[in-house]
Structure formats: structure tokens, C-alpha cells
Amino acid sequence: VNSGTADISFDAAVGAATRVGVLNIVNAGNVAFDSTVTAASYTQAAGSGVTTFADLLDLTGAFDFTGTALTIKGVGTNTIGGAMDITNSGAFLLDETTADADLEVAGSLTQDGAGSVTFESNITLTASGAMSIASGVTLAGADGITLTTDGASGDDITIGTDANTDLEGNGIDLTLNVGNAGDILVRG
């Protein structure tokens, strides 16, 4: 789908009865998924507004987002069946508006944009891979946040890139779990 700078809105479920293949957004302003998304994978090459997944996201493959802002707020467990890459120039928000919007990723999770990152829900890597967050992280929401990798060698958690990338808690507990073989590195 390529709308240039116009908005794209999916009012109904995507892949409700039958999973769709690759869901590919070439360019858009705001992108709104108001219901569930069930697809093989998701790729967004550009976006000048906010891309919002308001309901559960269920992918059997990878999630690759490049754009301004990304919000995931599907209540329950949002599932990515492959690696997840987020290149955001604006805000990336794992939102807990009404209840936890947990995220499970079967591979690495990489956030490598210059935009902000806010976690209000948990992230679990269910297969071998590292979690790398380049931006500073703000913790928010009503509950503590847990970031978990698969726990093997190389299944590390890295937050920040230098002393200028902060980890802010707002009084929220943070649990980092890399098992017996992973490493934790918080820069900032």
C-alpha cells in the first residue's frame, strides 16, 4: 500500500478468517489498524505520522518498521514470529491504555531509530536473539516492566548507546532477565 502522505485506516480485522501474506506499507501519513492484524509479516518502509496497532498483532514472520512513530496497544500478547526491527524518528510506545499489551518476539528485537521509547508492557524474546534499544527508555504504566531474552549465549539486553541515552523509571520496577548465559548492558 502506498498512499504517499495520505492516511491509511483499516477499520476491520486484517486476516480475520484467513491469515494474509506480507502486509507492506510503502509510504503513508498516519496508519491505523483499529482491529486485529493476522499476517505472515509486516513491513513499513516510510511513514510521516503515527502507525497504531489498536488490537492484537499476530505475525508468523518478521516485523520491520521505518517511520516516524509506532504505537502497539493490543490487549493481551502481541506475537511476532521472527525478528523485529524498529527505526523510529518519533515515539515508539508499547502502550498499556486499558491493560497489558505484552510483546513476544521469536528472534532479535532491534530499535535503532533516534526517536523516544516508552514501555508500559513486557517484552519477551521466545527464540535466540538479542534485545537492543538504541534510544533512552522511559518506563510507564501501572505495573512493573519485564524484559526477557531466551537466555542463551548472545541473548543479551542492551539499552542505550552512550551516556546521553537515559533509562527513566517514573517509580516503575524494571526486571531484566537474560538467563544464565546472556549479558545486560545499560549505557546512560
Side-chain angles (χ1 to χ4, degrees):
V1 178
N2 185 352
S3 72
T5 58
D7 295 343
I8 300 171
S9 182
F10 295 86
D11 297 331
V14 174
T18 304
R19 183 181 299 275
V20 299
V22 176
L23 187 53
N24 187 17
I25 306 294
V26 176
N27 195 7
N30 294 310
V31 180
F33 294 95
D34 295 332
S35 189
T36 58
V37 174
T38 306
S41 63
Y42 180 83
T43 300
Q44 183 169 334
S48 59
V50 179
T51 297
T52 303
F53 292 89
D55 207 333
L56 284 175
L57 175 61
D58 179 8
L59 304 179
T60 55
F63 182 99
D64 187 1
F65 172 85
T66 300
T68 302
L70 173 65
T71 299
I72 298 174
K73 59 182 182 178
V75 173
T77 302
N78 296 276
T79 305
I80 310 298
M84 184 172 194
D85 186 58
I86 300 160
T87 305
N88 58 306
S89 60
F92 167 42
L93 172 61
L94 188 55
D95 193 357
E96 178 188 76
T97 301
T98 58
D100 285 342
D102 293 338
L103 182 61
E104 287 188 355
V105 180
S108 295
L109 184 148
T110 303
Q111 181 277 329
D112 54 7
S116 64
V117 174
T118 301
F119 293 146
E120 297 181 0
S121 293
N122 303 320
I123 300 175
T124 303
L125 302 187
T126 61
S128 183
M131 188 180 307
S132 177
I133 311 298
S135 296
V137 174
T138 300
L139 306 176
D143 303 317
I145 307 297
T146 301
L147 305 179
T148 305
T149 67
D150 201 42
S153 178
D155 293 348
D156 306 330
I157 295 175
T158 303
I159 298 174
T161 55
D162 58 33
N164 296 317
T165 50
D166 294 332
L167 175 60
E168 299 177 3
N170 295 320
I172 303 295
D173 294 338
L174 174 63
T175 301
L176 302 173
N177 182 357
V178 293
N180 293 328
D183 293 320
I184 298 170
L185 178 59
V186 179
R187 299 177 174 135

